[in-house]
Amino acid sequence: MVLALLVSSNLAGAELNPDELVYPTREALSRGEYLQRVLQNNHVIQARLASFGSALNLHRAESGLMEPELVGTGQWIDRQRPNTIELERSLQSGGVFIERNLVYSGGVEVRTPTGARVRVGASARRLRNNVQRTVIVDLDAEYETSLDLSIEQPLLRGAGPGVALAPRRMAARSAEIGYQEFRWQLMQTVAQAEITYWELALAQEQYRLSNESVGSARALLDDSQARLDAGRGARIDVIEAQAGLAQRETRRARARQRLIEAMNRLAAFFNGRPQQDGVQYEATETPHIDSLRFSYAEGTDAALTMSPDVLRTQRVVAQELLRVQLARNERLPQVDLRATFGSAGLGFDWNSALDDTEHVRFPQWVVGVDVRIPILAGVRSRNELAAARQRLRQAEYNLADMEATIRTEMDAAIRRVESAEGIVSGHRSAVSYRQALLDDRMTGREAGRVDARTVLEAEDDLVASQLEMRDSEVEYERALLELQLLQGNLLQHRGLELTMDDLQTKARGWLRGDQPVIDFLDYREPSFRNLPAAGPLMNVDGRVEPEGRRFPLWFGRDGGEDE
C-alpha cells in the first residue's frame, strides 16, 4: 500500500481531486478559452484601444482643416450721435445724426493646401437717416450691395503644402503611435496572461504533489506505528515519520496559498472573482516543450520590421522631422500677398443696387503686400529651430539605440530558450532517476533493510525534482514568450495581428460604444515549429517592405499615403 502511494505521482498534471478544491465549484479552462476571455474583457487592452480611438478621432479632426466655412452676420442699428460743428456744416441734420440701418453680410471661407485663405463674400445694407430727406424729401431708404473675392497668400512663412498640411501629418503620426502602443499592450497582456496560466498549472501541480506527499507520509507513519506495535520496528522510525508528516503538511499549506494567489492573478486578467463567485479556475494544459530552430538573422529582421517599440520610435522620428520643418519655416520673414476684387452697387431699392453689382458698374481692386521681419534676427524662432533639431537628434539616437539593443539581445534571447529546453531535459532525467531510487528504497523498506527516514528523504527528493521540472517548463515558456516579444511576432503566431486599417474597421462598433466587449480578436493556439513565422513579415500596413524604403507612413484611409 505504501509503495503504491509513493509511486503514484502523475507527471502529466491530472485534475484536482474534490478534496483538493479551494472553492466549491471547479471551472476548467484551456489556454485558448482563457486567453479569449482575456482578449474580450481585459481593461488594460480596452484602455489602450480607447487611446488609439482617440488618436484616430484627432486625426479625423485635422482632416477638417480645409473644410469650407459659411460665415454670416446680421445687424439692426438704431443710434443717435451729436454732430460737431464740422459735421453739422456738411450734414445739416439739425445738430444730431439719427440712423436706423439693417446690415447683412455673409460668405464662404476656405483654406487651401498652399496656405492661402480664400473668401467669397457679399454684403447688403439698408440705410435710413435724417440726412437723406434733406436731399430728397420723399426718400424712404438707400440700398448698398457688394460682392467680393479676397485671397491672402503667404509667400514665405506659412507657405506651401508642407506647412499647411503639417497638423494633419502630425495627427497621422500620433495615430500610428497609438496603433503601435495598442499592439505593444496587446502583446504584453497576452504574454503575461499566458505566463500566469502556466504559473497556475505549476501551482496546481505543487498542491497536488503536496497532497500526495502528505498521504504518503501519513501511510508511512501508520506502517511504522504498526511495525512498532508488532515489535518489528523502532520508536525512532515513528518519530521520523511524524516529523516527515508535519513537514509535508506545512509544505501543503504553502502550496495551497500559492494556488490561491495564482488563481486570483489569472482571474484578474479577465475580471473574474474566484472568492466572491466561489469558482476555482483550473488550468487543463501543461507546457509543451518543442525542439525549435532559431535564426539570429531572421529574428533580428523580424524585430526591426515588426517590433512595436521600433515602429513607434520610427514614427516619433517622423514627428520630430515635421517639427524641424515647421521650425525652419518659422525662420522666414512674414510676407503675405493680399488681393481683393469686388463689385459695389447703390440704389433706392434692392433691385437697382443688385443690378449695379451684377454688371460690375463700380469695380474695386485692392492688391497689397504685408511684410513682418524681426529686428533682432529672430531670437525666438532661431532657438526654437535649434531645439527642434536637438529633439530630432534625440529621437534618432533613441531609434539607433533600440535597434542596437535588439541586435545584442536577440542572441541572448535565443540562447535562453535553447538553455531552458536543455534544463527541462535535465530535470526530466533527474525525475526518472529519483523515481528509480525511491522504488529501490521502498523495496529495501519492505525487506526491512531501510528505515523510514531514508524513504522519506527519497520521496522528498522526488517531489522536489518534479517541482523543479515543472518550474523549468514554465521558465521555458517564459523564455519563448520573451523571444517572441523581442521579435514582435507574438500576435502573428496567435492570429491576432491586425493592420491599422483592419483594426479601425473591426473596432468601429466597440469604439462607438455599441459593444461592451472586444469581439473582433480571436485567439488561435500557436503551433509554430520555428521562429520567426514562415512567410512575409507584416509591417504596420500589412504589406511587405519594399526594398529601399525603410518604413511606411500611414496617412489615413481618405488621405492617401504620405511619402
Side-chain angles (χ1 to χ4, degrees), residues 83-140:
N83 295 333
T84 63
I85 296 177
E86 180 182 1
L87 286 175
E88 180 61 26
R89 286 180 60 88
S90 63
L91 297 177
Q92 297 180 2
S93 60
V96 176
F97 179 71
I98 302 173
E99 62 178 343
R100 291 183 177 88
N101 304 330
L102 287 177
V103 179
Y104 307 97
S105 66
V108 177
E109 296 181 356
V110 64
R111 185 176 178 181
T112 70
T114 64
R117 291 183 179 274
V118 179
R119 183 183 186 279
V120 177
S123 65
R125 298 195 300 167
R126 189 191 67 180
L127 307 177
R128 286 178 175 175
N129 53 66
N130 58 345
V131 177
Q132 295 167 330
R133 296 199 176 189
T134 63
V135 179
I136 302 177
V137 176
D138 59 347
L139 180 63
D140 178 61

Side-chain angles (χ1 to χ4, degrees), residues 16-26 200 203-204 207 211 252-253 255-264 274-275 278-282:
L16 297 174
N17 295 323
D19 59 345
E20 296 172 345
L21 291 178
V22 178
Y23 301 119
T25 305
R26 174 193 290 126
L200 175 60
Q204 288 176 186
Y207 189 45
N211 264 323
R252 180 176 63 178
R256 178 186 175 89
Q257 179 61 30
R258 283 194 290 268
L259 176 60
I260 293 173
E261 293 173 356
M263 197 187 318
N264 281 277
Q275 193 276 338
V279 177
Q280 175 158 334
Y281 298 106
E282 178 185 337

